[in-house]
Amino acid sequence: MMELRKDTIFIAVGANLPDAEGRMPRAACQAAVVRLGEMGFDVIGVSRWYESPPLPDNGGPWYVNGVVHAETALEPVEALERLHAIEAAFGRVRRQRWESRPLDLDIIDHGGMVRRPRIAAVPIVPGAPVQTTGGAPDPELPHPRMHERAFVLLPLADVAPGWRHPTLDRSVEELIAALPAGQIIRPCMEEAPDSGGEALTSA
């Protein structure tokens, strides 16, 4: 039997609320990694876990974030549908843009693919109601805002040092150096007891 071709995929994992089983964000993120392995994603590596305030800051709890390095034979649309199914199983209900959530799973990069949605994306307005059609949205690849987010880039550098953005042609290290000023992120204290607390990623 011919083996299906598998692509490398990087998935951002985040949470800042307890999930449907009452697990706190870091435990929920770790459980989500296990679930990925049961849903068509062959997990190769997982970054350290980081914590950071919401972006944009809505006064909600800090997030726990990480990145999973995996391989999958799934196409982008099916991959995103499965990620949304995992989110729903963990208790996520989409009501407003950038609201607090028990689990967030995003495709950051899928085999270096450059892909635009067939339907134009709706502008993201914080707090605006989420418009859904009953399924996962048509994914844009690479993730259109990943290069602006410390909570994506730092864990991505953990699992894929030297990774290059498919359209910007800049390494993850270069993207980290160019982050907008003022983003705060730190490794979860259990993993970095001597980290000294908050770390600004840029001046």
Side-chain angles (χ1 to χ4, degrees):
M1 180 181 296
M2 181 180 296
E3 185 175 348
L4 293 175
R5 179 183 63 85
K6 292 186 177 182
D7 290 319
T8 297
I9 188 170
F10 295 100
I11 300 168
V13 183
N16 73 334
L17 294 176
D19 72 358
E21 296 189 14
R23 291 174 293 215
M24 297 305 290
R26 182 172 171 183
C29 289
Q30 292 170 326
V33 174
V34 175
R35 186 66 62 86
L36 287 170
E38 300 167 350
M39 294 285 284
F41 302 93
D42 298 332
V43 175
I44 295 171
V46 183
S47 72
R48 292 178 292 172
W49 297 107
Y50 292 81
E51 54 187 5
S52 61
L55 185 66
D57 191 349
N58 59 10
W62 279 40
Y63 277 84
V64 171
N65 288 101
V67 167
V68 173
H69 176 196
E71 290 184 341
T72 187
L74 300 171
E75 293 299 319
V77 171
E78 186 178 6
L80 188 58
E81 287 174 346
R82 294 199 185 188
L83 296 186
H84 279 211
I86 295 171
E87 290 178 344
F90 278 61
R92 181 172 183 183
V93 178
R94 285 176 165 79
R95 300 183 183 90
Q96 295 181 335
R97 296 288 188 180
W98 286 331
E99 63 186 343
S100 295
R101 60 205 65 179
L103 185 64
D104 187 24
L105 299 171
D106 286 318
I107 301 174
I108 298 305
D109 177 45
H110 191 302
M113 190 182 305
V114 177
R115 186 181 192 279
R116 297 289 177 260
R118 289 184 293 274
I119 300 174
V122 177
I124 294 179
V125 178
V130 174
Q131 304 294 325
T132 65
T133 58
D138 195 17
E140 181 174 353
L141 297 170
H143 190 285
R145 292 171 296 281
M146 61 157 297
H147 60 285
E148 302 171 348
R149 295 174 168 178
F151 63 81
V152 172
L153 294 177
L154 269 68
L156 178 60
D158 283 348
V159 292
W163 176 89
R164 299 193 72 84
H165 194 286
T167 59
L168 300 178
D169 193 28
R170 303 176 75 184
S171 72
V172 63
E173 292 82 8
E174 290 172 320
L175 294 173
I176 289 171
L179 280 167
Q183 293 193 44
I184 301 172
I185 183 170
R186 63 194 182 201
C188 289
M189 295 305 293
E190 296 87 341
E191 297 180 352
D194 300 321
S195 65
E198 295 181 359
L200 292 177
T201 63
S202 53

